Amino acid sequence: MSAVPTILVAGATGKVGRELVKLLLDRGQAVRALTRHPETARLPGGVEVVRGDLDDAEAIERALAGIDRMFFMGPDTSLPAQAANLARAARSSPLRHVVMLSSLAAEMTDSNPLALEHREAERIIEASGFDWTLLRGGAFSSNTLGWAQAIRNEATVRCVLRNIPYAPIDPYDIACVAAEALTATGHIGQTYALTGEESITPEQQTQVLATLLSRPLRFVELSDDEARAAFRRVYANQAEADGKLRALRSPEAPWNFPRPDTRRITGQRSRTYQEWAQRNIDAFR
């Protein structure tokens, strides 16, 4: 390991993490990346890549050696357990500030699994003893990559969400907020609600992709029963599947309208879905 690495990025090969690593390097920061598979990480030169994951407290403890700031994110289902691992590992490290990517689902009053998991993970981080900043991300523009195979094979989008407007955020903009929170003052103890500035329906997103692909696409909003069947294939636990689907399809979901924090923190306009799609359209060809 390098002598004085500054910032540890967990999830460095994910959609937010990759963007964050580049932004931190551009700011002159030393970066250590935690990944399960260093051999396929394909991160920029100058990044110290270490093997491990957040399910392994010992691996976290090794990765935290010499680290005082960290970006933390993980999958919904294991986020509380990973937050607890981090809190335990950090007791013997110099870690003093964690920027955690949570979800706007934590704002929901409904006791659905998506909200409960993120609120529990946030409570663990807040009680850990180190400084924290919470980034509550809304729906990602990149979530529509889940349509890519059906678009390529059938020219069809089968949408699990309801066809109502929401404000998707480009992972790049979340990374911009994270970079600011990790390298600037004034963000400790803050919770930010991160969305895009543009409201758009899934059907309108489909039309954006159709225009960029120069081919017609059919849009289908799945019924409640069809959406439940789709989620049953992802989640083994039926109650968890139904609870998360209920949250995602809620007309009162907290990511359904634009929030000001992204622009307020970064000082720049967030990228639209059109801009995200233009940069990623090859995934749908």
Side-chain angles (χ1 to χ4, degrees):
M1 294 187 180
S2 56
V4 193
T6 305
I7 299 175
L8 176 66
V9 177
T13 60
K15 293 177 177 60
V16 175
R18 283 192 183 279
E19 299 283 9
L20 176 58
V21 166
K22 290 184 287 187
L23 289 167
L24 292 174
L25 292 175
D26 289 344
R27 292 179 179 221
Q29 298 293 318
V31 177
R32 180 181 294 163
L34 180 69
T35 176
R36 290 186 179 92
H37 306 291
E39 62 278 1
T40 58
R42 301 189 307 280
L43 290 167
V47 175
E48 181 187 8
V49 183
V50 297
R51 186 183 303 276
D53 64 60
L54 296 169
D55 294 320
D56 183 345
E58 291 185 0
I60 300 172
E61 189 171 351
R62 290 192 298 271
L64 285 174
I67 292 290
D68 64 354
R69 288 166 288 166
M70 176 183 179
F71 175 73
F72 164 56
M73 63 173 294
D76 299 337
T77 51
S78 55
L79 195 60
Q82 292 185 344
N85 283 342
L86 174 60
R88 285 193 297 271
R91 292 171 189 159
S92 58
S93 81
L95 184 68
R96 58 180 175 81
H97 184 200
V98 170
V99 175
M100 173 184 170
L101 179 56
S102 182
S103 169
L104 275 173
E107 290 187 358
M108 302 181 87
T109 55
D110 178 16
S111 58
N112 65 78
L114 201 60
L116 294 175
E117 288 160 359
H118 285 90
R119 284 202 294 268
E120 177 61 18
E122 289 181 358
R123 282 194 292 268
I124 292 168
I125 293 300
E126 289 169 348
S128 62
F130 44 68
D131 293 331
W132 50 266
T133 307
L134 300 179
L135 310 183
R136 289 179 170 173
F140 290 12
S141 297
S142 55
N143 289 351
T144 57
L145 288 170
W147 300 345
Q149 183 174 352
I151 286 176
R152 290 193 299 266
N153 296 341
E154 308 168 54
T156 298
V157 167
R158 293 183 177 83
C159 183
V160 172
L161 302 179
R162 298 190 188 281
N163 190 31
I164 57 178
Y166 73 111
I169 185 165
D170 190 316
Y172 170 80
D173 289 306
I174 291 180
C176 288
V177 176
E180 188 70 15
L182 285 162
T183 61
T185 59
H187 301 291
I188 289 173
Q190 300 299 308
T191 299
Y192 299 129
L194 305 183
T195 70
E197 299 179 39
E198 167 199 62
S199 291
I200 188 170
T201 67
E203 189 168 14
Q204 289 170 330
Q205 289 175 308
T206 302
Q207 185 54 53
V208 167
L209 296 173
T211 300
L212 291 172
L213 293 168
S214 300
R215 64 184 295 212
L217 298 177
R218 185 169 67 104
F219 176 82
V220 178
E221 179 185 347
L222 297 186
S223 68
D224 288 344
D225 287 344
E226 291 169 330
R228 289 185 76 233
F231 262 51
R232 277 199 298 270
R233 293 192 289 270
V234 178
Y235 297 99
N237 183 304
Q238 182 62 61
E240 181 182 14
D242 289 348
K244 290 188 174 181
L245 180 63
R246 184 172 69 252
L248 291 172
R249 288 171 70 90
S250 170
E252 284 88 35
W255 47 81
N256 283 359
F257 56 95
R259 311 286 279 272
D261 282 351
T262 309
R263 182 190 283 257
R264 182 170 64 84
I265 302 306
T266 65
Q268 61 191 25
R269 176 185 64 81
S270 60
R271 294 178 175 182
T272 65
Y273 181 75
Q274 169 91 22
E275 290 169 318
W276 176 87
Q278 285 174 328
R279 295 195 324 279
N280 293 276
I281 195 62
D282 285 346
F284 299 90
R285 295 193 189 281

